[in-house]
Amino acid sequence: MNLEDFDNQVNEQESSFDLKSILPKIFRIWPWILLSVIVFFLAGYFYTKTTVPTYRVSGKFFIKEKESALALFEKPAVMDVGNIGIQNEIIILKSKPIAALAIKELDFDVEYLRKGPFITQEIYKNTPMLITVDWTSPQIVNGIISLSWENNQQFTLDFEDKNYTQYLSDGSTVGLSNIPIRKSYNFGEWIENSQLRIKVDKIDPDQTGSMLFRLRDKKSLANIYSNQLAIESVDKNSSIVELSIQTPNILKGEVYLNTLMNTYLTRELDEKNEVYTNTISFIDSQVDGVEESLSTSERELETFRSANRIYELSSEATTVYEKLSALETDLRMEEFKRSYYQSLNDYLQQGNYKDLIVPSGIGIDDPILNALIENLLTLQVEKSRALASQTEISPAVIEVNRKLEDANKSIREILKNVDANSARVIQDLNAQIGKIDVSFRSLPQTEQSLIRIQRKFELNENLYTYLMEKRAEAAITKASNSAHNKIIEPAEGGYVIAPQPIRNYAVSIFLGFFIPILFVLIREGLRTKIEDIKYLENHLKLPILSTILFNKTPDNLVVLKHGKSGIAEGFRSLRANLKFILPDEDQVTLMVTSTISGEGKTFCAMNLASVYSLTGKKTILVGCDMRKPKIFTDFNLPNDVGLSTYLSGQEKNWEKVIKSSGYPSLDVLVSGPTPPNPAELLFTERFDILIKELKANYDVIILDTPPVGLVSETLDLLSKVDATVFIFRQNYSHRNFIEGLNGLKNNKRIKNTYVVFNGVEGNKVNYGYGYTYGYGYGYYDDDKK
C-alpha cells in the first residue's frame, strides 16, 4: 500500500466514530454490565413497589363565553354576571376560596391510611374507624397517628412521627414540641386534652387490628387541592375545559372534582339571585307592617258597619270616597318610593352594595336609575371575583374600586333629583286631598266615619296586593334562574400516572446497560494515551508495520535469548514487512526513533538488528543517541570508544571503534563517551563518510537515533536512510504524539516512514491484520517457560 492510498483511507476513517475499537472494550466488561443491569432492575422494582400509586381523575366543565357589548337585541336581565371571560373563570376555579367552599362540604379533614408491606395507602369510605374532630379545639395535624385495638372496648394511640403541627382554634398553626405519649382510650368517648379533641367510633367487626390516620385542617386542605387542580382547554376554539387532579385515591378525586364543580355553580347562581333575594327581603319587611294595618282596618270596618247598620254610601259620598281613595293610593305609593330612595342612599353612603335592590324589582320604572344600579352591582360582582385570586392592592381591584366610586357618586346625584321630585309630588297630592276635605266635611257624620275607615282599609289592601305581586314576580324570577356554566362530564374513574412498572423496568434495564458503557466512553474520551492499535489505525497517517508484545523478561535482547517467544515472532513479522516495503534493496539502512524517551526505541533497534543478523545478513547496530547511550549495557560492552570518538576525530579509523556483539553477523557501534556537541557531530563530513563505509561493508545498518520530540538532529538523518521506523508504546505514548507525527508528514514531507506499536499486552493483541503475528503469550515455547 502506498502512502497516498493510505492517506485516503485514514481520512475516511477519521470522519466517523470507530465502533470496532470501542466494542471489544465494552464486551470485555460484560460481567459488570450484567451486574449493573441486575442492580438497576432491582432498584426499579423496589422503586415501583415503594411508590404510592398516583391517579389522574378528570371531568369536563362548560364555561359560557363573555357576550359582546353590542348584543342590543337581547333584553338584559336584572343582573347578568355570568360572562367575564374564560381565563378569569379558570382563575376563579383554581382559587383557594372556591377550594375552601368545596372542602367545607366534604369530610376530608381525616385521612385514613392502611400500611402495606411496601407502601402506606390512603383509604376513603369503608374505613374501619370513624373519627370525629372538634375543630373548635386545638388539634394535632399534619402528622401520622397510629391507632390499634385488641378488643371492642379500647384502642391505643401512638404518635410515631417526629414532627407534628398544632392547629389552634383561631385557625393558626404552630409547631408542636410536646408530643403525646402512647396511651389507651375508650371507643365512643371524646378524647380531650390541651393538644387534641377527637372521638373514635369502631366500625370494623374484627376484634384486633390497626390503622393509621392523619388530621388536616380545612385551610391547609384548600391550599393543597387548589394547587393540585389543573385546568386545560379541551380545544382552542371551545369554551369547554377539563378539570383534573392527581390523587392517591380515585374515589376521593372524583368526589372532590364533582363537589368543586357543583360548588362553583351554586356560587354563581347565588350571585345571580342575590338581587332577587334582597328584593324579596325588602318587600317582606314592608309587608309585615302593611299586613298588620290591613287586619286592624278590616276588623274596624266590620265593627263600625255592624254598630251603625250602614253598609252603602250615598251617591255624593261615593264620589268623594273614590276621589280620596285614588289620591291617597298615589300618595302611599309615592311615600313608599321615597322610603326606598332613602334606604338606597343609606346603603350607598355606607358602601354596602350587597343589600342593594334594583328599582325595577319593586315597580320603580326609572330607566336611568335602573341602569346605573345594575352597572354598580355588576362591578361589585367583578370585584368579588377578582378578589378570589388577587388582593386589594392589585391593579385590577384598584381599577374596579375606582369605577365603583364613580358609579356611587353618579347614583347619589340622581337620587337627590328623584327624591326632590317625589317630595313635590307628595306635596301636590296632599294639596289635592285637602281640597276634597271640604266636600268630605259636608257629609253626615256617620258617612264621614265610614268613608274614613273604608279608605284606610282599601289603602292597606291595595298596597298589600301591590307588594305581594312584586314579591311573587321576584320569587318566580329567582326560581327560574339557572347558572350560565354547567357540568358537561362529571369526574368518574381515572388512570394510573405513577408508578408505571413497564416504563420503570425499561428505564432500569437501559440504565443498567448504559452506565457501564457510558463509563467506557467517558474513559475513552478522557484517555490521553494510546491504548490499542485501532486508535493508531484511525488517526495516524502512516502505515503500521507490526505490533510488539510487552517484554516481561529481564533481558532486552529477546530475539537472541528467547527466540521462540511471541516478541521474537513480532520482530520477524516486522522484518518480513520491511522486505515487502524495500524488496529490491541488497543493502538496507534503517533508522529507529520515537517521540520521547521510554517508548522502546532502543529495545526495538537492538532486536530488529538481531532478527536481521539471524538471517545471515551482516548487520551493524549504530548508537546515534549520544546523550543517553544504552546499547552497550545490554551487550555487556564498554562505552570507552564509539561513534562520538570517531566523529570527534579522536580515532581516525572507523573500523577500530566497531565492536563485536558476541553474536554471529551482528556488530555494534556504541555511542561512546557523551560529547558536549552531539548534534553538530552528526552533521560533520565524517558521519557521511562513516555511513558510506558502513553501507559498503554491511548488508543492514540500524541507526538508534534520539527521540524526535526532544532533539532536532534526528529529522536531518531522514535523508541518509532507506526507511524510518517510528515507535509508539501502548499505554505510554500520548495521543497527541500522533498529531505531531502527522504534522511532520504534512509539513516536512517525510517519506518511507513506518510505525511499530510496542509494549502491547498479550491479552489485548489484535488478530487478523497484516502487520500482526496472530498470537499472544502462551503460544510459543519461551512464553510458556
Side-chain angles (χ1 to χ4, degrees):
M1 179 187 298
N2 57 43
L3 287 178
E4 286 75 11
D5 294 338
F6 186 78
D7 287 346
N8 294 333
Q9 180 181 349
V10 168
N11 290 333
E12 291 176 0
Q13 291 175 336
E14 281 184 341
S15 63
S16 60
F17 183 75
D18 185 16
L19 287 176
K20 291 183 179 179
S21 63
I22 300 296
L23 288 177
K25 299 172 184 178
I26 294 175
F27 291 145
R28 199 177 301 143
I29 63 169
W30 71 264
W32 291 104
I33 294 178
L34 178 60
L35 178 62
S36 176
V37 169
I38 294 173
V39 170
F40 273 93
F41 182 81
L42 292 176
Y45 177 81
F46 180 77
Y47 172 79
T48 301
K49 291 297 182 182
T50 56
T51 300
V52 177
T54 302
Y55 303 90
R56 184 179 186 272
V57 182
S58 63
K60 290 184 174 62
F61 192 74
F62 170 76
I63 297 177
K64 184 174 174 130
E65 296 184 16
K66 187 173 184 179
E67 294 178 353
S68 171
L70 299 177
L72 302 177
F73 298 101
E74 180 180 353
K75 183 179 179 180
V78 173
M79 181 178 180
D80 188 6
V81 298
N83 304 309
I84 63 171
I86 295 177
Q87 291 303 320
N88 287 344
E89 299 293 332
I90 289 176
I91 293 174
I92 293 172
L93 274 168
K94 295 183 68 173
S95 65
K96 291 181 177 64
I98 294 295
L101 290 175
I103 292 295
K104 187 177 180 181
E105 303 294 324
L106 300 170
D107 55 348
F108 285 5
D109 54 344
V110 181
E111 294 178 355
Y112 301 88
L113 308 170
R114 180 186 293 115
K115 192 171 185 179
F118 293 101
I119 59 175
T120 298
Q121 197 162 6
E122 183 179 357
I123 53 178
Y124 184 67
K125 307 297 185 182
N126 300 322
T127 56
M129 298 289 161
L130 178 62
I131 299 174
T132 306
V133 185
D134 180 9
W135 289 106
T136 61
S137 301
Q139 301 292 347
I140 298 176
V141 297
N142 301 332
I144 292 179
I145 304 172
S146 175
L147 187 154
S148 59
W149 66 96
E150 296 181 354
N151 53 58
N152 292 327
Q153 287 74 39
Q154 287 190 326
F155 63 93
T156 302
L157 290 184
D158 190 7
F159 297 82
E160 300 177 348
D161 273 0
K162 294 182 180 179
N163 298 312
Y164 291 90
T165 303
Q166 180 80 61
Y167 173 83
L168 304 179
S169 55
D170 61 356
S172 62
T173 56
V174 294
L176 180 64
S177 57
N178 185 21
I179 300 176
I181 61 173
R182 178 186 176 93
K183 192 174 180 181
S184 297
Y185 304 93
N186 294 327
F187 284 116
E189 296 182 0
W190 284 97
I191 302 172
E192 296 188 53
N193 53 45
S194 60
Q195 295 162 324
L196 80 165
R197 186 173 190 268
I198 62 173
K199 182 176 67 171
V200 180
D201 293 299
K202 188 172 183 296
I203 300 175
D204 195 341
D206 292 342
Q207 287 285 333
T208 60
S210 63
M211 60 165 285
L212 305 173
F213 71 93
R214 176 170 45 211
L215 303 183
R216 297 275 198 188
D217 62 281
K218 296 187 182 298
K219 182 178 179 180
S220 66
L221 283 172
N223 291 336
I224 292 172
Y225 279 93
S226 64
N227 292 330
Q228 288 181 348
L229 181 66
I231 303 178
E232 297 177 352
S233 178
V234 174
D235 187 88
K236 64 179 181 179
N237 297 320
S238 170
S239 62
I240 297 177
V241 296
E242 182 182 55
L243 282 67
S244 64
I245 191 171
Q246 296 181 10
T247 174
N249 189 284
I250 293 179
L251 179 59
K252 198 170 184 180
E254 293 175 3
V255 171
Y256 175 75
L257 285 182
N258 291 329
T259 303
L260 178 70
M261 290 188 285
N262 284 313
T263 300
Y264 181 82
L265 295 179
T266 301
R267 181 176 179 271
E268 180 196 357
L269 190 58
D270 288 344
E271 288 179 349
K272 288 185 65 177
N273 288 332
E274 186 174 13
V275 66
Y276 302 110
T277 302
N278 294 339
T279 301
I280 293 173
S281 298
F282 178 79
I283 292 175
D284 286 342
S285 65
Q286 299 294 320
V287 165
D288 290 340
V290 174
E291 187 176 16
E292 184 177 351
S293 298
L294 179 61
S295 299
T296 302
S297 60
E298 184 179 13
R299 289 193 299 270
E300 185 179 355
L301 178 61
E302 291 177 354
T303 303
F304 182 83
R305 283 177 172 175
S306 299
N308 295 278
R309 297 182 181 275
I310 181 171
Y311 298 99
E312 293 182 0
L313 297 172
S314 63
S315 59
E316 183 181 358
T318 300
T319 301
V320 172
Y321 169 73
E322 289 176 352
K323 290 180 180 180
L324 283 175
S325 295
L327 290 173
E328 286 182 343
T329 298
D330 292 341
L331 177 62
R332 189 66 179 269
M333 289 302 302
E334 202 62 39
E335 290 174 344
F336 174 74
K337 290 181 181 180
R338 286 203 71 187
S339 174
Y340 166 73
Y341 297 150
Q342 185 59 47
S343 175
L344 179 59
N345 189 61
D346 292 341
Y347 286 142
L348 292 174
Q349 288 180 347
Q350 297 170 9
N352 181 12
Y353 305 132
K354 290 186 177 181
D355 296 331
L356 287 183
I357 302 167
V358 177
S360 60
I362 56 174
I364 301 177
D365 297 325
D366 188 322
I368 297 177
L369 186 60
N370 276 315
L372 288 174
I373 292 179
E374 287 176 9
N375 179 58
L376 182 71
L377 293 175
T378 302
L379 289 172
Q380 176 60 21
V381 172
E382 185 177 341
K383 176 183 177 181
S384 66
R385 295 201 169 194
L387 288 175
S389 56
Q390 303 176 57
T391 61
E392 285 281 358
I393 60 174
S394 64
V397 176
I398 292 175
E399 179 63 17
V400 173
N401 283 332
R402 185 190 64 78
K403 292 180 180 179
L404 281 170
E405 185 65 27
D406 292 343
N408 188 312
K409 290 179 180 178
S410 298
I411 295 173
R412 288 167 65 183
E413 288 295 327
I414 293 292
L415 281 177
K416 290 180 181 178
N417 298 329
V418 172
D419 186 66
N421 291 335
S422 181
R424 286 192 292 270
V425 171
I426 291 174
Q427 184 179 3
D428 181 64
L429 289 172
N430 284 325
Q432 293 183 45
I433 291 173
K435 292 179 181 179
I436 296 176
D437 275 343
V438 177
S439 301
F440 175 75
R441 293 191 187 96
S442 65
L443 295 174
Q445 188 63 38
T446 303
E447 288 190 350
Q448 288 185 32
S449 300
L450 178 59
I451 289 174
R452 196 177 288 114
I453 296 172
Q454 194 165 334
R455 281 168 53 199
K456 182 178 179 182
F457 168 74
E458 190 170 342
L459 184 63
N460 287 327
E461 185 180 35
N462 291 338
L463 182 58
Y464 179 79
T465 301
Y466 174 81
L467 291 175
M468 292 307 294
E469 287 178 355
K470 294 301 178 181
R471 188 186 189 284
E473 291 175 2
I476 291 171
T477 305
K478 178 180 177 182
S480 62
N481 265 342
S482 62
H484 288 299
N485 307 320
K486 61 183 176 180
I487 299 172
I488 299 298
E489 185 178 296
E492 185 176 2
Y495 60 89
V496 180
I497 59 174
Q500 297 184 8
I502 296 178
R503 184 188 66 180
N504 292 344
Y505 297 150
V507 171
S508 299
I509 294 173
F510 171 77
L511 290 176
F513 274 106
F514 178 72
I515 289 181
I517 295 174
L518 179 64
F519 173 77
V520 172
L521 296 176
I522 292 176
R523 186 180 64 178
E524 285 300 305
L526 298 177
R527 191 182 298 279
T528 60
K529 296 181 179 180
I530 303 171
E531 186 185 39
D532 55 37
I533 197 170
K534 288 299 295 181
Y535 189 85
L536 277 177
E537 270 190 317
N538 294 334
H539 296 82
L540 188 62
K541 296 182 179 181
L542 296 172
I544 303 172
L545 295 182
S546 183
T547 56
I548 306 299
L549 291 176
F550 180 75
N551 182 24
K552 295 184 178 180
T553 68
D555 301 315
N556 285 332
L557 301 176
V558 182
V559 171
L560 298 174
K561 296 182 179 181
H562 305 281
K564 295 182 179 182
S565 65
I567 300 177
E569 184 62 27
F571 283 105
R572 294 188 188 98
S573 175
L574 175 59
R575 181 191 63 194
N577 289 337
L578 285 170
K579 185 176 181 181
F580 283 106
I581 294 171
L582 306 169
D584 299 329
E585 296 288 342
D586 294 331
Q587 197 285 324
V588 177
T589 302
L590 301 175
M591 182 178 73
V592 181
T593 187
S594 64
T595 305
I596 59 173
S597 177
E599 292 179 291
K601 165 185 61 65
T602 301
F603 170 78
C604 291
M606 290 189 300
N607 285 283
L608 182 59
S610 301
V611 79
Y612 270 110
S613 68
L614 291 176
T615 63
K617 289 183 176 291
K618 191 176 181 182
T619 306
I620 184 168
L621 174 63
V622 182
C624 297
D625 190 356
M626 291 178 282
R627 288 180 173 84
K628 291 184 177 182
K630 296 179 181 179
I631 295 176
F632 67 93
T633 58
D634 291 297
F635 284 98
N636 293 321
L637 298 174
N639 195 36
D640 52 348
V641 293
L643 181 62
S644 62
T645 307
Y646 173 75
L647 295 180
S648 62
Q650 299 177 38
E651 177 58 56
K652 304 298 183 183
N653 187 357
W654 64 272
E655 293 180 343
K656 290 186 178 181
V657 295
I658 302 297
K659 297 180 180 180
S660 175
S661 66
Y663 297 95
S665 304
L666 179 60
D667 290 338
V668 178
L669 176 55
V670 297
S671 301
T674 303
N677 56 343
E680 288 77 3
L681 292 179
L682 291 176
F683 299 116
T684 61
E685 183 180 357
R686 294 181 65 83
F687 184 74
D688 293 335
I689 295 172
L690 174 65
I691 295 298
K692 184 177 181 181
E693 292 293 338
L694 291 177
K695 288 182 178 181
N697 290 274
Y698 289 92
D699 300 322
V700 178
I701 302 172
I702 306 295
L703 302 181
D704 176 24
T705 63
V708 296
L710 299 178
V711 296
S712 60
E713 61 264 25
T714 303
L715 294 176
D716 296 312
L717 298 178
L718 294 174
S719 60
K720 304 181 188 297
V721 298
D722 300 316
T724 300
V725 178
F726 205 95
I727 307 299
F728 285 96
R729 180 179 171 183
Q730 185 182 44
N731 293 326
Y732 187 87
S733 300
H734 288 267
R735 293 185 173 184
N736 57 2
F737 293 174
I738 298 174
E739 295 301 323
L741 187 56
N742 289 337
L744 287 177
K745 176 184 179 299
N746 295 330
N747 300 329
K748 302 292 184 179
R749 303 306 301 173
I750 59 175
K751 296 182 179 181
N752 294 333
T753 301
Y754 306 94
V755 173
V756 170
F757 196 38
N758 181 42
V760 180
E761 297 180 14
N763 61 343
K764 296 183 180 180
V765 174
N766 293 303
Y767 302 107
Y769 301 99
Y771 44 78
T772 62
Y773 42 84
Y775 299 95
Y777 286 116
Y779 181 78
Y780 297 94
D781 292 341
D782 286 352
D783 290 336
K784 294 180 181 179
K785 295 177 183 180

